[in-house]
mmCIF file of all heavy atoms in Angstrom:
data_model
loop_
_atom_site.group_PDB
_atom_site.id
_atom_site.type_symbol
_atom_site.label_atom_id
_atom_site.label_comp_id
_atom_site.label_asym_id
_atom_site.label_seq_id
_atom_site.Cartn_x
_atom_site.Cartn_y
_atom_site.Cartn_z
ATOM 1 N N GLU A 1 94.939 123.392 151.740
ATOM 2 C CA GLU A 1 93.576 123.767 152.117
ATOM 3 C C GLU A 1 92.598 123.108 151.164
ATOM 4 O O GLU A 1 92.751 123.197 149.947
ATOM 5 C CB GLU A 1 93.379 125.287 152.057
ATOM 6 C CG GLU A 1 94.004 126.050 153.190
ATOM 7 C CD GLU A 1 93.464 127.472 153.295
ATOM 8 O OE1 GLU A 1 92.233 127.651 153.147
ATOM 9 O OE2 GLU A 1 94.274 128.394 153.519
ATOM 10 N N GLY A 2 91.599 122.444 151.729
ATOM 11 C CA GLY A 2 90.541 121.874 150.918
ATOM 12 C C GLY A 2 89.324 122.780 150.903
ATOM 13 O O GLY A 2 89.378 123.942 151.310
ATOM 14 N N LYS A 3 88.218 122.228 150.442
ATOM 15 C CA LYS A 3 86.965 122.971 150.378
ATOM 16 C C LYS A 3 86.052 122.540 151.521
ATOM 17 O O LYS A 3 86.179 121.438 152.058
ATOM 18 C CB LYS A 3 86.271 122.712 149.041
ATOM 19 C CG LYS A 3 87.066 123.161 147.820
ATOM 20 C CD LYS A 3 86.315 122.832 146.533
ATOM 21 C CE LYS A 3 87.098 123.277 145.311
ATOM 22 N NZ LYS A 3 86.383 122.941 144.041
ATOM 23 N N ALA A 4 85.116 123.385 151.861
ATOM 24 C CA ALA A 4 84.169 123.052 152.921
ATOM 25 C C ALA A 4 83.356 121.815 152.562
ATOM 26 O O ALA A 4 82.951 121.046 153.435
ATOM 27 C CB ALA A 4 83.249 124.236 153.191
ATOM 28 N N SER A 5 83.134 121.596 151.283
ATOM 29 C CA SER A 5 82.342 120.448 150.830
ATOM 30 C C SER A 5 83.136 119.146 150.843
ATOM 31 O O SER A 5 82.559 118.062 150.678
ATOM 32 C CB SER A 5 81.798 120.698 149.422
ATOM 33 O OG SER A 5 82.869 120.948 148.510
ATOM 34 N N ASP A 6 84.472 119.230 150.991
ATOM 35 C CA ASP A 6 85.272 118.007 151.123
ATOM 36 C C ASP A 6 84.911 117.298 152.427
ATOM 37 O O ASP A 6 84.309 117.887 153.330
ATOM 38 C CB ASP A 6 86.769 118.341 151.132
ATOM 39 C CG ASP A 6 87.262 118.881 149.793
ATOM 40 O OD1 ASP A 6 86.592 118.605 148.778
ATOM 41 O OD2 ASP A 6 88.293 119.563 149.779
ATOM 42 N N ILE A 7 85.334 116.034 152.539
ATOM 43 C CA ILE A 7 85.130 115.316 153.799
ATOM 44 C C ILE A 7 86.223 115.673 154.793
ATOM 45 O O ILE A 7 85.958 116.026 155.939
ATOM 46 C CB ILE A 7 85.109 113.791 153.567
ATOM 47 C CG1 ILE A 7 83.980 113.430 152.603
ATOM 48 C CG2 ILE A 7 84.935 113.055 154.891
ATOM 49 C CD1 ILE A 7 82.610 113.855 153.061
ATOM 50 N N SER A 8 87.493 115.588 154.366
ATOM 51 C CA SER A 8 88.601 115.897 155.267
ATOM 52 C C SER A 8 89.884 116.073 154.476
ATOM 53 O O SER A 8 90.006 115.605 153.337
ATOM 54 C CB SER A 8 88.783 114.784 156.304
ATOM 55 O OG SER A 8 89.189 113.580 155.674
ATOM 56 N N ILE A 9 90.851 116.733 155.122
ATOM 57 C CA ILE A 9 92.202 116.904 154.592
ATOM 58 C C ILE A 9 93.171 116.341 155.630
ATOM 59 O O ILE A 9 93.018 116.593 156.830
ATOM 60 C CB ILE A 9 92.531 118.390 154.333
ATOM 61 C CG1 ILE A 9 91.503 119.011 153.384
ATOM 62 C CG2 ILE A 9 93.946 118.535 153.796
ATOM 63 C CD1 ILE A 9 91.439 118.380 152.015
ATOM 64 N N SER A 10 94.167 115.584 155.174
ATOM 65 C CA SER A 10 95.150 115.042 156.112
ATOM 66 C C SER A 10 96.533 115.059 155.474
ATOM 67 O O SER A 10 96.670 115.051 154.246
ATOM 68 C CB SER A 10 94.781 113.616 156.527
ATOM 69 O OG SER A 10 94.701 112.767 155.397
ATOM 70 N N ALA A 11 97.573 115.090 156.319
ATOM 71 C CA ALA A 11 98.957 115.052 155.859
ATOM 72 C C ALA A 11 99.745 114.138 156.780
ATOM 73 O O ALA A 11 99.442 114.035 157.976
ATOM 74 C CB ALA A 11 99.560 116.456 155.852
ATOM 75 N N TRP A 12 100.745 113.459 156.234
ATOM 76 C CA TRP A 12 101.558 112.566 157.063
ATOM 77 C C TRP A 12 102.946 112.404 156.475
ATOM 78 O O TRP A 12 103.197 112.710 155.304
ATOM 79 C CB TRP A 12 100.876 111.214 157.230
ATOM 80 C CG TRP A 12 100.748 110.396 155.980
ATOM 81 C CD1 TRP A 12 101.600 109.450 155.506
ATOM 82 C CD2 TRP A 12 99.660 110.440 155.031
ATOM 83 N NE1 TRP A 12 101.130 108.901 154.335
ATOM 84 C CE2 TRP A 12 99.943 109.483 154.023
ATOM 85 C CE3 TRP A 12 98.494 111.191 154.944
ATOM 86 C CZ2 TRP A 12 99.085 109.279 152.943
ATOM 87 C CZ3 TRP A 12 97.650 110.984 153.870
ATOM 88 C CH2 TRP A 12 97.940 110.036 152.891
ATOM 89 N N HIS A 13 103.851 111.904 157.321
ATOM 90 C CA HIS A 13 105.245 111.700 156.953
ATOM 91 C C HIS A 13 105.561 110.215 156.987
ATOM 92 O O HIS A 13 105.261 109.524 157.965
ATOM 93 C CB HIS A 13 106.156 112.444 157.939
ATOM 94 C CG HIS A 13 107.621 112.253 157.684
ATOM 95 N ND1 HIS A 13 108.248 112.754 156.566
ATOM 96 C CD2 HIS A 13 108.586 111.605 158.403
ATOM 97 C CE1 HIS A 13 109.536 112.439 156.608
ATOM 98 N NE2 HIS A 13 109.777 111.737 157.704
ATOM 99 N N ASP A 14 106.146 109.698 155.918
ATOM 100 C CA ASP A 14 106.592 108.307 155.842
ATOM 101 C C ASP A 14 108.071 108.284 156.228
ATOM 102 O O ASP A 14 108.918 108.870 155.547
ATOM 103 C CB ASP A 14 106.398 107.785 154.415
ATOM 104 C CG ASP A 14 106.800 106.319 154.262
ATOM 105 O OD1 ASP A 14 107.434 105.762 155.179
ATOM 106 O OD2 ASP A 14 106.481 105.736 153.207
ATOM 107 N N ARG A 15 108.392 107.588 157.333
ATOM 108 C CA ARG A 15 109.744 107.608 157.889
ATOM 109 C C ARG A 15 110.616 106.461 157.381
ATOM 110 O O ARG A 15 111.728 106.260 157.876
ATOM 111 C CB ARG A 15 109.672 107.533 159.420
ATOM 112 C CG ARG A 15 108.933 108.699 160.054
ATOM 113 C CD ARG A 15 108.793 108.505 161.563
ATOM 114 N NE ARG A 15 110.085 108.250 162.184
ATOM 115 C CZ ARG A 15 110.952 109.198 162.525
ATOM 116 N NH1 ARG A 15 110.661 110.465 162.284
ATOM 117 N NH2 ARG A 15 112.102 108.895 163.093
ATOM 118 N N THR A 16 110.149 105.672 156.419
ATOM 119 C CA THR A 16 110.913 104.520 155.943
ATOM 120 C C THR A 16 112.315 104.950 155.506
ATOM 121 O O THR A 16 112.450 105.786 154.605
ATOM 122 C CB THR A 16 110.205 103.848 154.759
ATOM 123 O OG1 THR A 16 108.872 103.504 155.134
ATOM 124 C CG2 THR A 16 110.950 102.590 154.334
ATOM 125 N N PRO A 17 113.377 104.403 156.134
ATOM 126 C CA PRO A 17 114.741 104.820 155.786
ATOM 127 C C PRO A 17 115.028 104.641 154.301
ATOM 128 O O PRO A 17 114.770 103.594 153.711
ATOM 129 C CB PRO A 17 115.615 103.879 156.643
ATOM 130 C CG PRO A 17 114.752 103.510 157.802
ATOM 131 C CD PRO A 17 113.361 103.425 157.239
ATOM 132 N N GLY A 18 115.551 105.697 153.693
ATOM 133 C CA GLY A 18 115.867 105.670 152.270
ATOM 134 C C GLY A 18 114.698 106.028 151.387
ATOM 135 O O GLY A 18 114.867 106.256 150.177
ATOM 136 N N PHE A 19 113.494 106.069 151.972
ATOM 137 C CA PHE A 19 112.291 106.381 151.187
ATOM 138 C C PHE A 19 111.415 107.380 151.944
ATOM 139 O O PHE A 19 110.186 107.320 151.866
ATOM 140 C CB PHE A 19 111.497 105.107 150.894
ATOM 141 C CG PHE A 19 112.238 104.102 150.065
ATOM 142 C CD1 PHE A 19 112.941 103.068 150.669
ATOM 143 C CD2 PHE A 19 112.250 104.197 148.678
ATOM 144 C CE1 PHE A 19 113.629 102.135 149.908
ATOM 145 C CE2 PHE A 19 112.937 103.276 147.909
ATOM 146 C CZ PHE A 19 113.638 102.238 148.521
ATOM 147 N N GLU A 20 112.058 108.302 152.677
ATOM 148 C CA GLU A 20 111.281 109.281 153.435
ATOM 149 C C GLU A 20 110.466 110.151 152.469
ATOM 150 O O GLU A 20 111.001 110.706 151.517
ATOM 151 C CB GLU A 20 112.211 110.163 154.269
ATOM 152 C CG GLU A 20 112.937 109.434 155.385
ATOM 153 C CD GLU A 20 114.253 108.799 154.953
ATOM 154 O OE1 GLU A 20 114.501 108.773 153.710
ATOM 155 O OE2 GLU A 20 115.025 108.341 155.806
ATOM 156 N N ARG A 21 109.177 110.216 152.739
ATOM 157 C CA ARG A 21 108.278 110.997 151.881
ATOM 158 C C ARG A 21 107.204 111.667 152.731
ATOM 159 O O ARG A 21 106.903 111.225 153.838
ATOM 160 C CB ARG A 21 107.583 110.109 150.840
ATOM 161 C CG ARG A 21 108.499 109.341 149.896
ATOM 162 C CD ARG A 21 107.660 108.622 148.851
ATOM 163 N NE ARG A 21 108.469 107.808 147.944
ATOM 164 C CZ ARG A 21 108.562 106.484 148.013
ATOM 165 N NH1 ARG A 21 107.894 105.821 148.949
ATOM 166 N NH2 ARG A 21 109.307 105.819 147.136
ATOM 167 N N ASP A 22 106.613 112.707 152.168
ATOM 168 C CA ASP A 22 105.490 113.386 152.803
ATOM 169 C C ASP A 22 104.302 113.364 151.844
ATOM 170 O O ASP A 22 104.471 113.502 150.626
ATOM 171 C CB ASP A 22 105.856 114.823 153.150
ATOM 172 C CG ASP A 22 106.961 114.895 154.183
ATOM 173 O OD1 ASP A 22 108.150 114.901 153.798
ATOM 174 O OD2 ASP A 22 106.624 114.928 155.375
ATOM 175 N N PHE A 23 103.104 113.186 152.432
ATOM 176 C CA PHE A 23 101.899 113.066 151.616
ATOM 177 C C PHE A 23 100.790 113.966 152.154
ATOM 178 O O PHE A 23 100.725 114.260 153.356
ATOM 179 C CB PHE A 23 101.391 111.619 151.619
ATOM 180 C CG PHE A 23 102.299 110.639 150.929
ATOM 181 C CD1 PHE A 23 103.220 109.896 151.654
ATOM 182 C CD2 PHE A 23 102.239 110.468 149.556
ATOM 183 C CE1 PHE A 23 104.057 108.986 151.030
ATOM 184 C CE2 PHE A 23 103.069 109.568 148.913
ATOM 185 C CZ PHE A 23 103.985 108.822 149.648
ATOM 186 N N VAL A 24 99.916 114.364 151.248
ATOM 187 C CA VAL A 24 98.669 115.040 151.590
ATOM 188 C C VAL A 24 97.544 114.285 150.895
ATOM 189 O O VAL A 24 97.687 113.860 149.745
ATOM 190 C CB VAL A 24 98.673 116.514 151.128
ATOM 191 C CG1 VAL A 24 97.255 117.089 151.160
ATOM 192 C CG2 VAL A 24 99.588 117.341 152.006
ATOM 193 N N GLN A 25 96.440 114.126 151.610
ATOM 194 C CA GLN A 25 95.260 113.498 150.998
ATOM 195 C C GLN A 25 94.053 114.409 151.155
ATOM 196 O O GLN A 25 93.785 114.913 152.253
ATOM 197 C CB GLN A 25 94.967 112.141 151.620
ATOM 198 C CG GLN A 25 93.741 111.464 150.997
ATOM 199 C CD GLN A 25 93.569 110.040 151.477
ATOM 200 O OE1 GLN A 25 94.204 109.124 150.974
ATOM 201 N NE2 GLN A 25 92.707 109.855 152.462
#
């Protein structure tokens, strides 16, 4: 959860085999 004053919050999954990762920005 971000703040109302932030611009946006996003999350994504990197499916690269052997390097699977999840990120939030």
Side-chain angles (χ1 to χ4, degrees):
E1 285 196 42
K3 298 179 180 179
S5 58
D6 293 338
I7 300 302
S8 66
I9 303 299
S10 59
W12 66 93
H13 178 67
D14 182 348
R15 299 175 53 83
T16 305
F19 297 95
E20 293 87 350
R21 301 185 183 104
D22 296 89
F23 293 96
V24 165
Q25 180 172 278

